Amino acid sequence: MAHTDIRLVVLDMAGTTVADGGLVERAFDTAARELGVEPGSDDHADKLAYVRATMGESKISVFRHLFGDEDRAQRANTAFEKAYGELVDGGLIAPVAGARETIEELLAGGRTVVLTTGFARVTQDAILDALGWRDLVPLTLCPADAGGRGRPYPDMVLEAFLRTKAAESVRQIAVAGDTSYDMLSGVRAGAGLVAGVLTGAHETDALRAAGATHVLDSVAELPGALA
């Protein structure tokens, strides 16, 4: 299939279209302290390493792995979302250079664009509001919108496919993100193009190993890859 046949573009947010300057790790520190994990401890280092390795995954899933029982996971997730939201409200995020222009170019070319995240809806909305992106695209999705499973599952990509009805086949979907989990979700959904970008969490080798068909310096190069 020619990449010019791509009708639906599913884009990750933090690290791909949104530059957050490491706010995930800062918010994790707050959540970890809430659960009694002190910065500088071996336990903190181990948990932070897992957070870094699983960037792109639904955050509640990460906390379930880290803290075991549901109550502790929910406490950590609530503290994380609150801390991240406060950082966002403090003006500490910005669009990745060229991201808005890229989205507008894709839309103007007749493609449908959906923004996805591993954050909860309240955090996703805070990011959209902070950037003035609330009306930028026709649909935004978080894991809860797709039945609760975030990346590396294909659910959000397939939910975008089903809701927008923009494509006739999953092969007409392009997925772009900055993590290996973004790549896995695109591959598992059957997307025709799965692009890793180097503006976020993971490097070329990890993106390729997870199935990236393209590795781009940034999302601004995506329209060229679809030409």
Side-chain angles (χ1 to χ4, degrees):
M1 186 197 78
H3 293 141
T4 52
D5 289 339
I6 295 293
R7 308 310 310 152
L8 172 63
V9 182
V10 180
L11 301 177
D12 171 52
M13 292 179 67
T16 303
T17 54
V18 179
D20 72 359
L23 297 192
V24 167
E25 293 187 16
R26 289 174 61 178
F28 166 74
D29 283 343
T30 299
R33 280 194 294 271
E34 177 80 14
L35 274 293
V37 180
E38 290 301 321
S41 67
D42 289 344
D43 188 25
H44 183 280
D46 289 345
K47 285 179 166 57
L48 180 57
Y50 184 80
V51 168
R52 288 171 174 160
T54 57
M55 285 289 190
E57 185 177 356
S58 169
K59 292 299 175 282
I60 185 59
S61 297
V62 172
F63 289 124
R64 284 177 180 134
H65 175 89
L66 291 177
F67 295 108
D69 69 84
E70 187 67 15
D71 179 64
R72 283 168 58 81
Q74 291 290 347
R75 281 176 56 204
N77 191 62
T78 298
F80 173 89
E81 299 286 355
K82 181 174 184 290
Y84 194 96
E86 289 173 351
L87 292 165
V88 168
D89 290 342
L92 297 179
I93 62 166
V96 165
R100 184 184 182 109
E101 294 80 2
T102 294
I103 292 168
E104 290 173 340
E105 180 179 348
L106 293 168
L107 292 169
R111 294 183 167 107
T112 298
V113 179
V114 175
L115 293 172
T116 64
T117 185
F119 294 131
R121 167 54 64 181
V122 64
T123 306
Q124 185 176 35
D125 284 345
I127 295 170
L128 293 168
D129 287 341
L131 298 178
W133 283 12
R134 181 73 79 150
D135 299 317
L136 181 59
V137 300
L139 180 65
T140 63
L141 295 172
C142 67
D145 298 321
R149 292 202 311 185
R151 310 179 196 106
Y153 297 102
D155 300 27
M156 287 194 291
V157 178
L158 296 175
E159 187 74 12
F161 174 75
L162 291 171
R163 285 208 203 180
T164 64
K165 297 180 171 57
E168 296 177 0
S169 162
V170 291
R171 301 299 294 167
Q172 293 177 315
I173 303 172
V175 172
D178 66 300
T179 72
S180 58
Y181 279 15
D182 289 302
M183 303 302 95
L184 283 170
S185 70
V187 169
R188 291 172 176 179
L193 183 146
V194 181
V197 298
L198 299 176
T199 50
H202 294 159
E203 300 297 329
T204 299
D205 288 350
L207 296 169
R208 288 286 189 194
T213 60
H214 295 66
V215 176
L216 311 174
D217 285 338
S218 84
V219 73
E221 295 183 357
L222 185 58
L226 298 178

